Amino acid sequence: MQSTFDERNWLAWLVKVRILILTFLLALQLAVAHLAPSIFPIHLFVSTILLWFALSLFYAMLLSFWQEHRLQASVQLLTDLVLVSVVVDQTGGWDSSFNFLYPLVIIVASILLPRMWAQLMAALAFILYGTVLELNYYGVVKSYCTTHPGLKALQAIIFVNLFAYLAVAYLAGLLVSKLREARVELKDASGALENLQALHENIIQSISNGLITTGLDGRITLVNNAAQKLLESPSSQLLGLPVGKLFIDPLPNAEAQLNHAEVRLDTASNFRKTLRVRVAAMNVPERGALGYVYALDDLTEIRRLEREVRVQDRLAAVGRLAAAIAHEIRNPLTSIAGSVSMLSGIPDMSEEHRQLLDIVTRESQRLNGIISDFLAYSRGKQYRFEKTDLVPLLEDTLTLMRHRMTAENTGIAIENQFAAKEAWTLADADRIKQVFWNFGSNAVRAMKDGGTLRVELEPHGEDWEISFADTGTGMTPQQTEKIFEPFQSNFEGGTGLGLAVVYQIVQAHEGKVWARSRLGQGTTFLLRLRQFDAERQPLQAASTGTAMNPARPAALATAAAEGRRHG
């Protein structure tokens, strides 16, 4: 069994205890000498104590230089025995009240030295004490004793102390041996417990699911690595917080029959996630519940795919039906428009009838525009992908919009900030410019009373991110979720197909588009397109074009999901 005994620390402890005892003895003896006359020379006692102090300080400094700690212990203990003998001699020999210092030195020797050496120290203490008594008894040295026992009594005192010293050495050595064994066993048990704790902690931190533990008060006590990634916060910021404040929706109750629920989470980067949370009470035998354990699963992508499938099915059906009837609607619409045009040429028509014909004409034209937009949305599109710089496209779009804002006196300011002078991508320049114009037009229509449109371009990983942020009326979460679906216009007179076409174009470019909006706080449209890589194969539709079915792209709800995932 490996020893865990630290001799250096015990030696340092011995120096401190020695100084403390010497201080106490000096103060006590001076107080006694002040209250009653003393027959022994107090100056000799004080000198011996001061010498002892000096040696203790020397030993304290020696610890930093001399690494032979066992030899140091032997020297210190021998010095202590000699000085104890001197003090006993100066304070009355067999009448001295300081002979209790011998057992203290023997006990310390049992702690610092092997048992055999402790027994030798006890024998040496007996020899020194007996020598002092013999020298005093026979008058070899000056005696300060107040009594004069007979030879038999003196021998009895000596042999009683011999038995006492050996008993103290034996018992102290036995006790210290047991304590050392117990300490080694405790250290081994502590090491095993630390290893087990480290194993459990590694298991918890390696679990792919998020894990949070709380006390009975609901405050977080542990967060594993997966939970930190899901919550996008380090554990130092999460520990001690009420777990319920992390989520938008209420958490499930451990005592309820249904102990799991789906909750939403707004991360520090304003991204919204959907998590499934399961909760269980953390029970300890004989102590009951000490807290709760929450297991987190990220369902954001799963829910996005579910929405995508639902909307894809719905749009496929709508697309097939609408494409089939769009042409049939346009034929009678053309006849109606022609008939109304002929009727409007009748000379004796009343003003009221002429106004009615004008209404019919305008509404026919509006209906024809809706059908044209929808046919443009559902009809296959041709794309020509080339290496394109996005910066000139943005500058051209913003220049046209600034002129329009000035001409119409809308009170809208347009600002731009480009983090790169060039932003190359593989794209159809005309289609991308159509996307930019649509974003800008929607922003202008949302700011009826003026405002600011801020356009930014910056690199984001391997993509370029373009944002159009307005200060308009904003949208509700329900409107934001459906913003890229057909016929979801929020403006009077709009067909609701502009952003649906934008979504088609972005999907054809293998990009991402989504919207962030809060009611009354404006709307931000974000577009991500991959940066140009000469080694990457160009899109297959580069020259021949690709027919885009409205049901073919990933469902338009993907944009809404991206909006929630990206804030």
Side-chain angles (χ1 to χ4, degrees):
M1 196 177 298
Q2 184 179 359
S3 175
T4 61
F5 184 69
D6 191 342
E7 292 176 335
R8 189 183 188 283
N9 288 339
W10 276 101
L11 283 173
W13 170 84
L14 173 60
V15 171
K16 296 175 184 176
V17 171
R18 182 189 296 118
I19 292 174
L20 181 63
I21 292 175
L22 292 176
T23 304
F24 173 74
L25 293 179
L26 180 60
L28 179 64
Q29 195 61 40
L30 290 177
V32 171
H34 180 73
L35 296 175
S38 177
I39 63 170
F40 61 86
I42 193 67
H43 64 278
L44 288 178
F45 176 79
V46 173
S47 299
T48 303
I49 296 297
L50 292 179
L51 174 62
W52 213 342
F53 266 121
L55 288 174
S56 298
L57 295 177
F58 171 73
Y59 290 145
M61 293 185 293
L62 193 62
L63 279 174
S64 303
F65 306 101
W66 194 11
Q67 302 301 321
E68 293 292 336
H69 296 136
R70 180 164 295 182
L71 187 56
Q72 279 193 65
S74 302
V75 172
Q76 290 192 38
L77 292 172
L78 287 173
T79 305
D80 288 339
L81 286 177
V82 172
L83 291 175
V84 167
S85 301
V86 173
V87 168
V88 169
D89 175 64
Q90 293 175 352
T91 56
W94 53 75
D95 292 331
S96 175
S97 57
F98 292 103
N99 59 354
F100 73 90
L101 294 175
Y102 284 113
L104 290 181
V105 177
I106 295 172
I107 291 173
V108 174
S110 300
I111 296 175
L112 295 175
L113 300 175
R115 294 184 66 179
M116 181 59 69
W117 285 94
Q119 297 287 346
L120 292 176
M121 283 290 176
L124 182 59
F126 161 71
I127 292 172
L128 290 174
Y129 184 60
T131 301
V132 170
L133 296 188
E134 292 286 346
L135 292 176
N136 277 271
Y137 184 81
Y138 291 107
V140 178
V141 296
K142 185 177 181 179
S143 174
Y144 300 100
C145 303
T146 58
T147 61
H148 298 280
L151 183 59
K152 297 288 186 183
L154 180 63
Q155 292 175 349
I157 293 173
I158 292 175
F159 282 104
V160 167
N161 281 277
L162 170 62
F163 174 77
Y165 295 165
L166 292 177
V168 169
Y170 173 76
L171 294 176
L174 186 62
L175 179 60
V176 169
S177 177
K178 295 294 183 182
L179 289 176
R180 288 181 180 176
E181 290 178 3
R183 184 175 181 181
V184 171
E185 292 176 358
L186 179 60
K187 187 174 182 65
D188 291 341
S190 299
L193 182 60
E194 289 176 359
N195 292 337
L196 183 61
Q197 184 177 359
L199 176 63
H200 288 175
E201 185 173 350
N202 290 334
I203 291 174
I204 290 174
Q205 296 298 339
S206 301
I207 293 175
S208 59
N209 292 350
L211 192 69
I212 296 176
T213 63
T214 69
L216 293 175
D217 58 355
R219 294 189 176 275
I220 297 174
T221 56
L222 182 143
V223 184
N224 72 343
N225 293 330
Q228 293 178 46
K229 291 179 181 179
L230 285 176
L231 302 175
E232 297 185 12
S233 295
S235 60
S236 58
Q237 297 180 5
L238 296 172
L239 295 179
L241 292 178
V243 67
K245 291 188 176 181
L246 300 178
F247 305 98
I248 300 174
D249 305 308
L251 293 173
N253 193 335
E255 284 77 22
Q257 188 174 6
L258 189 64
N259 63 349
H260 62 87
E262 289 188 15
V263 299
R264 292 169 296 167
L265 165 71
D266 282 337
T267 62
S269 55
N270 292 326
F271 295 174
R272 177 164 291 183
K273 295 182 177 181
T274 301
L275 305 179
R276 179 174 59 191
V277 179
R278 290 169 291 177
V279 60
M282 185 166 52
N283 293 309
V284 176
E286 299 180 0
R287 298 180 62 184
L290 298 182
Y292 301 99
V293 180
Y294 294 87
L296 312 179
D297 296 311
D298 191 358
L299 301 182
T300 305
E301 187 66 16
I302 294 175
R303 295 294 176 259
R304 182 187 70 81
L305 293 174
E306 290 177 352
R307 287 189 294 270
E308 179 177 317
V309 171
R310 289 197 302 268
V311 177
Q312 181 177 357
D313 291 341
R314 184 168 66 249
L315 290 182
V318 172
R320 287 193 298 270
L321 177 62
I325 66 175
H327 290 285
E328 301 301 326
I329 294 177
R330 175 168 283 185
N331 290 334
L333 185 62
T334 303
S335 301
I336 294 173
S339 301
V340 169
S341 177
M342 293 182 61
L343 289 175
S344 62
I346 299 175
D348 56 349
M349 183 179 295
S350 65
E351 187 63 26
E352 181 179 359
H353 290 168
R354 193 172 299 279
Q355 290 178 355
L356 291 175
L357 287 177
D358 289 340
I359 293 174
V360 173
T361 302
R362 287 197 304 271
E363 293 302 313
S364 298
Q365 292 173 350
R366 190 169 74 86
L367 182 57
N368 186 60
I370 294 173
I371 295 175
S372 299
D373 289 343
F374 187 77
L375 287 175
Y377 169 72
S378 60
R379 187 182 300 125
K381 296 178 176 61
Q382 301 296 319
Y383 294 88
R384 181 170 293 277
F385 294 95
E386 298 175 343
K387 181 182 177 183
T388 304
D389 187 0
L390 297 175
V391 174
L393 300 183
L394 282 169
E395 290 177 344
D396 291 348
T397 302
L398 297 181
T399 299
L400 291 174
M401 294 196 68
R402 286 191 180 99
H403 287 300
R404 173 186 166 188
M405 298 303 102
T406 302
E408 297 179 359
N409 194 22
T410 58
I412 296 175
I414 299 179
E415 302 175 356
N416 63 275
Q417 181 177 350
F418 302 150
K421 294 183 178 180
E422 296 180 341
W424 295 99
T425 186
L426 194 64
D428 186 324
D430 292 337
R431 299 292 187 183
I432 293 299
K433 189 179 291 186
Q434 181 182 352
V435 171
F436 294 159
W437 183 261
N438 203 302
F439 285 161
S441 298
N442 277 274
V444 169
R445 298 177 71 178
M447 296 185 288
K448 297 180 180 179
D449 300 325
T452 302
L453 171 61
R454 183 172 182 82
V455 181
E456 297 182 357
L457 181 145
E458 60 183 359
H460 191 281
E462 297 182 353
D463 299 333
W464 294 111
E465 183 174 280
I466 304 99
S467 64
F468 283 70
D470 63 59
T471 58
T473 56
M475 295 181 291
T476 64
Q478 292 77 15
Q479 291 173 326
T480 306
E481 183 175 349
K482 299 180 179 180
I483 189 65
F484 292 102
E485 294 184 12
F487 311 112
Q488 295 295 329
S489 176
N490 297 321
F491 305 116
E492 183 179 355
T495 63
L497 289 172
L499 290 178
V501 173
V502 163
Y503 188 82
Q504 278 190 344
I505 295 173
V506 174
Q507 287 292 300
H509 285 75
E510 299 180 2
K512 296 180 180 179
V513 62
W514 68 93
R516 298 176 184 167
S517 184
R518 292 184 183 273
L519 199 60
Q521 299 182 17
T523 301
T524 301
F525 285 95
L526 294 105
L527 169 66
R528 283 186 189 169
L529 297 173
R530 288 189 298 180
Q531 297 180 15
F532 179 78
D533 185 356
E535 297 181 358
R536 190 171 63 211
Q537 293 294 330
L539 297 180
Q540 293 179 355
S543 59
T544 60
T546 302
M548 300 297 295
N549 188 296
R552 177 185 174 274
L556 301 180
T558 305
E562 291 288 348
R564 284 190 295 277
R565 189 144 53 93
H566 296 277

